[in-house]
Amino acid sequence: MLAEDNHVTTPSRAGRPAVMTDVARLAGVSHQTVSRVINGHPRVRPETRDRVVRAMAELSYRPNAMARALASRRSRVLGVVSFDTILFGPASTLLGIERAARAAGYGVSIVTLEKVDRRGVLSAVEALDGQGVDGVIIIAPQMAAAAALHSLPRGMAAVAVEAGQDSGLPSVAVDQVAGARLAVRHLLDLGHRTVWHVSGPSDWLEAGDRIIGWRQTLEEAGAAVPPIISGDWSARSGYAAGTALAGNPDVTAVFVANDQMALGLLRALHERGVRVPADISVVAFDDIPEAEFMLPPLTTVRQDFDEVGRRGMATLLRLLDAAGRDGGPVPVLPSTAPVEPTLVVRQSTAAPPADRS
């Protein structure tokens, strides 16, 4: 429901600004019906809608933005569900969506979750629906968030981002498996016998996909698959992984699941006298702005977050257009082709030492 103090109104007959209950009283309906009319809800009879619109006009309870929305049955505002994080990937995904929405002439209303679980995601979607958004984009890279997507209200135009292929919604994602394969293949082509892996958290879909790509590439090459070292995306966990790997003479190449962990790993290796890339080569994932300024400059897999935003926005607009402006059913659309990542080769990778190749 729209907040009453956000409306631009002129005094009502009682000499005060009109509020939603005034419109409801004049139109002979409930204030919930007025809210549904304002938000373009399809389950309102045409004669009731007309009566509410006439009451709003008589009471001057219709700012210009609302008038446009009523005429088009669109608010031109999209909802985005994200979560409280400073991680580069999710934050960049959100920025890419915002840029794409602005380019398409839409505003964005964001609900940020502190705790990502089924209840939190559904509550966020309900809140956005109450604001009258045309549709929602849900950034759901964690398993708990992705699981909630199967329980969204029927008839809602929604697109999932980074939620895997089994979300039940049209989805947009970077091909994480392909990105991991690029990283591992690069190291194998340099002559390394195998590649160790520092993974992300086990409840993240992206971390799981990167493990799949890492393992597939090693197995296809007939290389040994070392045990995984688990991290939590932080530089601190990367430092701990680097400390563990530095004393292992069998390690010549490491694929780290994100750049922040690689930063910590590089620090740990340096402190223990392990040279990168002379002794150990390192490839990471994301290509954060600081990657090229690390010592040495970091070879990493780049994700095109702006393209993710554009495709997510385009998919949602296709849903809205297919549903039509008169509240038709939201169609089922297939997920878009995954966004292809690219490998950015810098100075943290090289052939293995001669005595270990």
Side-chain angles (χ1 to χ4, degrees):
M1 180 166 38
L2 299 177
E4 294 177 352
D5 57 1
N6 287 338
H7 291 290
V8 177
T9 61
T10 57
S12 69
R13 292 174 179 174
R16 58 170 172 76
V19 295
M20 190 176 292
T21 53
D22 295 324
V23 176
R25 189 178 302 110
L26 183 59
V29 298
S30 68
H31 74 275
Q32 291 93 340
T33 298
V34 175
S35 177
R36 285 193 286 269
V37 171
I38 292 171
N39 294 330
H41 196 285
R43 294 182 180 177
V44 179
R45 290 182 297 179
E47 59 271 23
T48 302
R49 184 185 304 277
D50 291 343
R51 197 161 68 247
V52 171
V53 170
R54 285 197 302 270
M56 290 166 62
E58 184 173 340
L59 295 174
S60 299
Y61 186 76
R62 188 171 61 180
N64 290 337
M66 189 184 296
R68 289 194 299 270
L70 288 171
S72 65
R73 303 290 174 88
R74 299 273 182 92
S75 67
R76 299 203 67 81
V77 176
L78 302 178
V80 178
V81 178
S82 185
F83 54 95
D84 188 15
T85 180
I86 59 172
L87 293 175
F88 178 75
S92 298
T93 300
L94 178 58
L95 181 59
I97 292 169
E98 287 186 286
R99 286 173 174 164
R102 287 198 302 271
Y106 278 77
V108 175
S109 180
I110 301 169
V111 175
T112 302
L113 302 178
E114 293 184 4
K115 182 179 180 181
V116 180
D117 56 18
R118 180 180 179 277
R119 183 174 183 178
V121 172
L122 295 179
S123 295
V125 170
E126 182 179 352
L128 290 168
D129 191 31
Q131 294 176 23
V133 298
D134 291 336
V136 295
I137 297 177
I138 305 169
I139 303 172
Q142 291 169 276
M143 293 180 182
L149 303 182
H150 294 276
S151 302
L152 293 183
R154 294 184 62 183
M156 169 167 286
V159 173
V161 172
E162 302 296 356
Q165 296 300 309
D166 299 322
S167 66
L169 295 177
S171 62
V172 179
V174 173
D175 192 334
Q176 306 292 330
V177 174
R181 291 175 68 89
L182 285 173
V184 177
R185 186 73 259 168
H186 170 66
L187 292 165
L188 294 177
D189 288 346
L190 287 171
H192 295 275
R193 293 178 179 177
T194 191
V195 178
W196 293 66
H197 182 46
V198 181
S199 74
S202 60
D203 61 338
W204 281 66
L205 296 165
E206 294 173 346
D209 283 347
R210 292 171 197 176
I211 290 173
I212 291 171
W214 163 75
R215 181 177 285 114
Q216 283 179 350
T217 309
L218 291 179
E219 291 175 346
E220 290 170 3
V225 180
I228 294 171
I229 299 177
S230 298
D232 62 7
W233 299 133
S234 71
R236 184 179 299 276
S237 70
Y239 183 89
T243 301
L245 292 171
N248 187 338
D250 295 330
V251 179
T252 66
V254 182
F255 166 46
V256 188
N258 78 335
D259 292 351
Q260 282 95 342
M261 290 194 298
L263 175 63
L265 181 134
L266 291 174
R267 169 72 179 269
L269 295 180
H270 174 74
E271 289 180 353
R272 285 151 184 79
V274 178
R275 299 167 300 167
V276 176
D279 298 319
I280 293 180
S281 289
V282 177
V283 179
F285 213 105
D286 278 344
D287 195 26
I288 63 176
E290 297 81 9
E292 62 180 310
F293 300 103
M294 293 184 189
L295 191 64
L298 184 64
T299 296
T300 186
V301 177
R302 176 180 294 164
Q303 303 191 74
D304 190 343
F305 295 108
D306 282 341
E307 180 63 19
V308 171
R310 285 190 292 269
R311 292 194 191 183
M313 184 69 195
T315 302
L316 186 54
L317 292 179
R318 282 167 47 216
L319 279 173
L320 294 171
D321 289 342
R325 296 178 179 271
D326 296 320
V330 175
V332 177
L333 295 180
S335 297
T336 65
V339 177
E340 292 299 321
T342 56
L343 181 68
V344 181
V345 179
R346 297 193 178 102
Q347 298 169 30
S348 65
T349 53
D355 60 342
R356 291 191 282 170
S357 59

